[in-house]
Amino acid sequence: MTKTQKDEVLVDVVGAYSKTERYIEENKKSLSIITGAIILIVGGYFGYKKLYVEPMETEAQSQMFMAERYFERDSLELAINGDGQWLGFLDIVDEYSITPSGNLANYYLGICYLKKGQYQDAIDYLSAFDCDDEMASSVAIGAIGDAYMQLGETKTAVTYYIDAAKEQKNDFTSPIYLMKAAQALEGLGDFKKAIGVYEDIRKNYPETKEGLEVEKYLERAGTLSVNK
């Protein structure tokens, strides 16, 4: 770079700084307001979480303890509606919806309604459950598939089973939901796709219970595919 070019660059930089300083000076008041608003928003968010959400979460956890106990005992009505002294999952969802426990109550409610045969309610609450834990998320998605199967919406169920298997690939939930998807596909008469899912189990989960049993299902689906 020549001396002339360097001088030109220096002039440009100085000019840019001058314009920036002039802008700041001319807009000092509005910039101060914007900065203050940002600080207020950020501070308000952390204050909201610390002073409001966290105490509510502590309260929600103490209330949900008994509902969880009823759930474990399969006392579904008490788990859902409470016992008059302790809240059930329905009230926890309503009163503590902004807390992690309120979110978790959606999952419990979905499973309760699935067990009670109230399948649309199960779908609604399981769909409302939002979880970063991929294992819990896959179980919730698979349970939605179970509800759709019970409603006779097999194609939709298959979609959820496949999603559940892919949500967090592992040797526990993935082969279970792949097996459910394959058997549902057989029920639809789509043996070609069922075979593909069975082969996925055989290839990727050979040491699991489903993997050890998959050959007989592959043979059956192959036979039915030929005879179709």
Side-chain angles (χ1 to χ4, degrees):
M1 183 181 288
T2 66
K3 183 177 184 304
T4 302
Q5 289 173 320
K6 289 180 180 178
D7 290 342
E8 288 175 354
V9 171
L10 181 61
V11 170
D12 288 342
V13 172
V14 171
Y17 276 122
S18 297
K19 288 178 183 178
T20 303
E21 289 173 359
R22 187 164 62 251
Y23 176 82
I24 292 172
E25 186 63 33
E26 290 173 356
N27 297 276
K28 189 181 292 182
K29 185 175 180 180
S30 60
L31 287 172
S32 296
I33 293 171
I34 292 169
T35 303
I38 292 170
I39 292 171
L40 186 64
I41 290 168
V42 173
Y45 171 74
F46 286 108
Y48 170 77
K49 285 194 70 177
K50 192 73 178 174
L51 301 176
Y52 186 65
V53 176
E54 289 185 10
M56 281 193 74
E57 169 60 10
T58 300
E59 188 178 324
Q61 286 179 357
S62 66
Q63 282 288 342
M64 199 159 80
F65 170 76
M66 189 54 68
E68 289 175 318
R69 292 289 297 276
Y70 285 131
F71 178 85
E72 291 166 4
R73 297 172 187 169
D74 243 12
S75 300
L76 301 180
E77 285 298 330
L78 291 172
I80 293 169
N81 298 305
D83 59 9
Q85 180 178 0
W86 298 94
L87 297 181
F89 292 126
L90 269 178
D91 287 327
I92 290 166
V93 166
D94 289 339
E95 296 185 24
Y96 302 101
S97 60
I98 62 172
T99 68
S101 289
N103 176 52
L104 182 58
N106 283 307
Y107 170 80
Y108 279 118
L109 275 172
I111 300 300
C112 285
Y113 285 127
L114 184 62
K115 289 181 175 182
K116 282 171 60 64
Q118 295 175 230
Y119 301 118
Q120 189 56 57
D121 288 330
I123 291 166
D124 292 343
Y125 282 104
L126 288 166
S127 298
F129 175 58
D130 182 20
C131 182
D132 292 331
D133 184 298
E134 292 178 339
M135 184 73 78
S137 179
S138 67
V139 172
I141 293 168
I144 294 173
D146 290 339
Y148 276 115
M149 276 296 291
Q150 294 299 324
L151 289 171
E153 298 182 38
T154 308
K155 286 185 178 180
T156 304
V158 169
T159 300
Y160 277 95
Y161 287 147
I162 297 295
D163 286 348
K166 292 180 178 178
E167 180 74 7
Q168 169 66 13
K169 291 185 178 181
N170 61 82
D171 288 344
F172 177 58
T173 58
S174 294
I176 290 173
Y177 292 123
L178 287 174
M179 183 64 76
K180 286 190 174 189
Q183 291 179 347
L185 285 164
E186 282 196 59
L188 290 170
D190 195 339
F191 301 108
K192 185 177 179 180
K193 283 186 179 179
I195 289 169
V197 178
Y198 286 135
E199 288 176 343
D200 186 355
I201 296 171
R202 180 171 65 178
K203 177 183 177 182
N204 295 306
Y205 308 98
E207 301 303 318
T208 64
K209 176 179 178 290
E210 291 74 19
L212 294 171
E213 296 177 348
V214 75
E215 288 298 336
K216 65 182 179 183
Y217 295 108
L218 265 169
E219 185 178 345
R220 182 185 67 189
T223 301
L224 290 171
S225 178
V226 170
N227 295 333
K228 185 178 177 182

